[in-house]
């Protein structure tokens, strides 16, 4: 179904967003106590970084499965093997990624489509509400010679994305003293210098995407509060020539806050001097603004390091994606083949099958191997799960390099043989198979199988292989990457052992 990737993407982004916000909610009191206000505001970078983490390179290899996959034969890749006995007793419906699922009833929308439509309607509704709020705010402004003016009693604000426009209330000069006006203008200048409206737009965009998530609404309010407190601290930390010597700077700042009137609903592309932020929180922040310059620099560096470190850990803990598994497999094939001095081997399976009264279906399958021993006998057993049965293949390599494959039909658990092994001639004709499925299905399966060898580095092979890997379940992808990691570690250990052995004999490694 075409809706499934979008649902998976939305679920992944919701999980990452919620994890980032929960981490900040837990760390925020500690960060406020140890770091300055600017560092606390900077810590909100964790949210977009966590949401972008699936697109970042994996710097650490996290363990996806709780325990390593036990391999029965080194020649058989673990993700292609028949499931163990414990898994064989699991109903087919419990492994949806391994077997096709029935479509929704005719004329009835699928649950994924309904969920995606509901999310889209909610996002569009919130986007329209935010746009209307911005338009109403703009309609109330008046353009005068010195600046944009808002109705009397409103709070000063900075509008615009990159080129901020200062908005002052009509009674700005009469309501605030000269020192208070200077502090307010300095506060809005800090907003403009930091491009806070651009960050507000990003926060509003995330709210639109996560409108159903209660954490998103809390995060927007908390981020805007930290933004204002950081600007307050920046103003109070800089020398201000308009502050009268007999009046403490903090007291002047508090008086200006008290004279400001909260906005009912601040639009997205504006930062207000005082709106619906808790005044008590901002006053508390004014008492903690005094930090040495070196401590502020160290705090912001620590905040950035914390965000980057948590992002790296989050990336390592995420399951391996299909494209990532494909790239790692191709790199593994190239590395192993270069070491062994033999090109990799690709097996292409062309399968035409019919189950019961269904029509004939065609499917292309590919399998890739790094190398095989040239002068010894080797065997590989491969399985391909279908709807209610499996296709089994035995690939025998004879001394001298000749391949002798055989194929069979297995039950839906890929364990019990339903037909005798039938030989297949590589690249020539098809082998016919027919079997009656067990009593729970009671249908006849017919299959036409043809096999051929192909270089897995060819574009045609890679296209089929990429699509096949991307359709794997997370468990299959995890087994596949663990197989690659295990063989890579074993190969590196053997290389180190061989180098040490040659050095002990005085030979060139």
């Amino acid at each position: 179904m075409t809706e499934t990737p979008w649902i998976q993407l939305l679920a992944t982004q919701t999980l990452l967003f919620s994890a980032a916000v929960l981490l900040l909610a837990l760390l925020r009191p500690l960060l406020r106590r140890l770091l300055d206000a600017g560092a606390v505001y900077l810590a909100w970078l964790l949210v977009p970084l966590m949401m972008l983490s699936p697109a970042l390179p994996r710097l650490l290899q996290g363990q996806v499965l709780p325990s390593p996959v036990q391999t029965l034969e080194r020649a058989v890749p673990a993700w292609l093997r028949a499931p163990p006995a414990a898994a064989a007793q699991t109903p087919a419906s419990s492994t949806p990624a391994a077997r096709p699922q029935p479509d929704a009833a005719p004329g009835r929308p699928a649950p994924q489509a309904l969920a995606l439509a509901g999310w889209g309607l909610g996002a569009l509704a919130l986007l329209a509400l935010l746009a209307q709020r911005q338009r109403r705010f703009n309609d109330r402004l008046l353009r005068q010679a010195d600046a944009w003016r808002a109705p009397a009693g409103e709070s000063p604000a900075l509008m615009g994305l990159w080129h901020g426009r200062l908005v002052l209330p009509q009674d700005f000069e009469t309501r605030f003293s000269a020192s208070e006006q200077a502090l307010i203008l300095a506060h809005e200048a800090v907003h403009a210098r930091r491009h806070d409206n651009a960050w507000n737009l990003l926060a509003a965009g995330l709210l639109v995407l996560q409108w159903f998530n209660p954490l998103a609404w809390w995060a927007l309010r908390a981020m805007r509060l930290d933004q204002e407190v950081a600007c307050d601290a920046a103003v109070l930390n800089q020398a201000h020539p308009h502050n009268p010597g007999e009046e403490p700077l903090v007291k002047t700042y508090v008086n200006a806050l008290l004279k400001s009137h909260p906005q009912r609903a601040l639009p997205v592309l504006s930062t207000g001097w005082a709106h619906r932020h808790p005044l008590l929180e901002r006053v508390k922040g004014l008492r903690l603004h005094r930090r040495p310059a070196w401590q502020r620099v160290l705090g912001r560096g620590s905040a950035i390091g914390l965000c980057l470190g948590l992002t790296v850990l989050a990336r390592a803990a995420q399951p391996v994606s299909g494209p990532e598994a494909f790239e790692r497999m191709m790199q593994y094939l190239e590395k192993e083949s270069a070491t062994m001095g033999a090109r990799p081997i690709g097996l292409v399976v062309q399968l035409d099958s019919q189950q019961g009264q269904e029509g004939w279906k065609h499917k292309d399958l590919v399998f890739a191997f790094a190398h095989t021993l040239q002068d010894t006998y080797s065997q590989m057993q491969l399985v391909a799960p279908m709807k209610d049965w499996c296709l089994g293949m035995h690939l025998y390599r004879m001394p001298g390099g000749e391949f002798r494959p055989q194929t069979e039909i297995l039950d839906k658990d890929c364990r019990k043989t339903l037909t005798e092994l039938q030989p297949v001639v590589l690249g020539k004709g098809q082998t016919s198979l027919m079997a009656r499925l067990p009593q729970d299905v009671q249908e006849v399966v017919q299959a036409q199988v043809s096999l051929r060898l192909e270089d897995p580095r060819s574009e045609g092979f890679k296209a089929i292989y990429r699509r096949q890997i991307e359709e794997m379940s997370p468990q299959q992808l995890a087994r596949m990457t663990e197989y690659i990691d295990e063989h890579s570690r074993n190969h590196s250990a053997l290389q180190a052992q061989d180098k040490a052995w040659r050095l002990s004999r005085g030979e060139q490694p």
Side-chain angles (χ1 to χ4, degrees):
M1 298 177 62
T2 56
E3 298 88 357
T4 302
W6 293 103
I7 291 292
Q8 293 176 348
L9 177 62
L10 180 60
T12 300
Q13 291 298 306
T14 300
L15 180 62
L16 292 172
F17 177 88
S18 302
V21 173
L22 287 174
L23 282 172
L24 287 173
L26 293 174
L27 295 175
R28 199 158 159 254
L30 181 62
L31 294 178
R32 282 182 165 188
R33 184 177 303 174
L34 299 180
L35 307 179
D36 69 300
V40 176
Y41 176 47
L42 198 60
W44 284 97
L45 281 174
L46 179 64
V47 177
L49 285 176
M50 287 275 280
M51 297 185 73
L52 291 174
S53 61
L56 301 178
R58 193 184 296 268
L59 301 180
L60 298 176
Q61 298 298 330
Q63 183 175 344
V64 179
L65 294 182
S67 60
V69 177
Q70 300 297 326
T71 56
L72 302 178
E73 300 177 70
R74 295 185 58 81
V76 185
W79 70 94
L80 298 177
R81 230 181 261 118
Q89 300 174 359
T90 305
S93 59
S94 65
T95 56
R99 307 188 184 280
Q101 296 296 305
D103 296 332
R108 181 181 302 174
Q112 295 91 341
L114 292 176
L116 194 61
W119 168 82
L121 290 176
L124 289 176
L126 180 57
L127 185 62
L129 177 63
L130 295 177
Q132 183 184 28
R133 181 182 298 176
Q134 184 73 45
R135 181 181 59 81
R136 287 181 177 178
F137 183 83
N138 294 345
D139 292 343
R140 299 173 61 195
L141 302 181
L142 298 175
R143 177 61 172 165
Q144 295 184 356
D146 54 346
W148 288 88
R149 291 289 180 166
E154 295 286 348
S155 174
L158 183 74
M159 282 189 55
L161 191 58
W162 297 111
H163 303 288
R165 296 178 297 173
L166 183 62
V167 178
L168 300 176
Q170 296 280 4
D171 59 346
F172 178 70
E173 290 79 6
T174 59
R175 197 198 324 171
F176 301 99
S177 65
S179 57
E180 292 169 352
Q181 293 177 28
L183 289 175
I184 292 173
L185 295 178
H187 179 98
E188 301 303 333
V190 173
H191 278 307
R193 186 169 63 249
R194 293 180 176 179
H195 299 289
D196 282 337
N197 283 340
W199 294 109
N200 293 339
L201 180 62
L202 175 61
L206 294 179
L207 179 65
V208 169
L209 297 176
Q210 295 285 319
W211 63 266
F212 56 91
N213 191 344
L215 292 174
W217 298 89
W218 176 87
L220 181 63
R221 292 192 296 269
M223 189 277 290
R224 296 293 293 264
L225 172 60
D226 289 344
Q227 182 184 91
E228 295 300 330
V229 173
C231 280
D232 295 340
V235 172
L236 295 178
N237 276 314
Q238 65 187 9
H240 207 285
H242 296 280
N243 181 53
E246 68 275 3
E247 184 179 10
L249 189 64
V250 175
K251 182 179 179 181
T252 305
Y253 212 93
V254 172
N255 289 335
L257 287 175
L258 293 175
K259 292 180 182 180
S260 300
H261 298 276
Q263 302 276 3
R264 289 188 178 181
L266 195 69
V268 174
L269 296 181
S270 63
T271 51
W273 163 256
H275 43 89
R276 302 185 71 178
H277 296 148
L279 182 60
L280 182 60
E281 292 290 337
R282 291 186 65 175
V283 173
K284 287 181 178 179
L286 298 181
R287 298 187 304 169
L288 303 176
H289 73 278
R290 294 298 180 187
R291 303 275 186 175
W294 66 269
Q295 191 173 357
R296 296 198 299 269
V297 174
L298 181 61
R300 294 173 191 186
S302 301
I304 294 176
L306 176 66
C307 293
L308 294 178
L310 291 175
T311 302
V312 170
L313 292 177
R315 181 68 184 98
Q318 294 169 17
V320 179
S321 64
E324 183 183 0
F326 172 78
E327 293 297 333
R328 291 181 64 178
M329 173 55 80
M330 299 309 297
Q331 294 173 3
Y332 168 74
L333 292 175
E334 291 288 348
K335 180 179 178 181
E336 289 292 305
S337 300
T339 302
M340 299 299 297
R343 66 180 181 86
I345 298 174
L347 178 66
V348 180
V349 182
Q350 292 182 316
L351 173 64
D352 294 288
S353 62
Q354 181 187 38
Q355 178 177 333
Q357 300 299 320
E358 299 177 357
W360 284 85
K361 299 179 181 180
H362 178 81
K363 189 171 186 179
D364 292 326
L365 301 170
V366 294
F367 303 92
F369 313 99
H371 63 273
T372 57
L373 301 178
Q374 299 293 329
D375 299 321
T376 59
Y377 173 84
S378 61
Q379 174 187 0
M380 292 184 181
Q381 180 179 359
L382 312 174
V383 293
M386 299 296 145
K387 181 180 179 181
D388 294 307
W389 57 283
C390 295
L391 178 68
M393 292 160 286
H394 298 259
L395 191 62
Y396 301 96
R397 170 102 184 206
M398 312 305 293
E402 179 187 4
F403 284 96
R404 295 181 183 178
Q406 293 181 330
T407 183
E408 61 183 344
I409 293 179
L410 306 173
D411 65 352
K412 63 181 180 181
D413 295 320
C414 304
R415 297 184 61 83
K416 182 179 179 181
T417 300
L418 302 180
T419 63
E420 296 182 355
L421 285 171
Q422 298 294 329
V424 182
V425 180
L426 288 173
K428 295 182 180 180
Q430 292 182 320
T431 297
S432 299
L433 299 171
M434 185 173 66
R436 178 174 293 277
L437 298 180
Q439 296 180 357
D440 56 342
V441 180
Q442 282 291 323
E443 290 182 338
V444 175
V445 170
Q446 300 182 71
Q448 302 285 337
V449 184
S450 63
L451 307 177
R452 73 174 187 272
L453 296 180
E454 188 174 319
D455 189 344
R457 296 168 294 186
S458 66
E459 292 302 322
F461 188 97
K462 289 167 66 175
I464 301 175
Y465 201 28
R466 181 184 291 107
R467 183 171 63 251
Q468 182 174 306
I469 290 179
E470 291 178 354
E471 292 175 354
M472 289 182 177
S473 67
Q475 291 77 14
Q476 290 172 319
L477 292 174
R479 293 188 180 98
M480 178 178 180
T481 52
E482 284 194 0
Y483 169 84
I484 296 174
D485 293 340
E486 179 187 359
H487 279 251
S488 298
R489 288 192 298 267
N490 293 340
H491 179 75
S492 300
L494 289 175
Q495 282 187 322
Q497 185 179 7
D498 179 73
K499 181 179 180 180
W501 180 78
R502 292 180 182 276
L503 290 175
S504 66
R505 294 172 56 90
E507 299 179 3
Q508 184 68 23

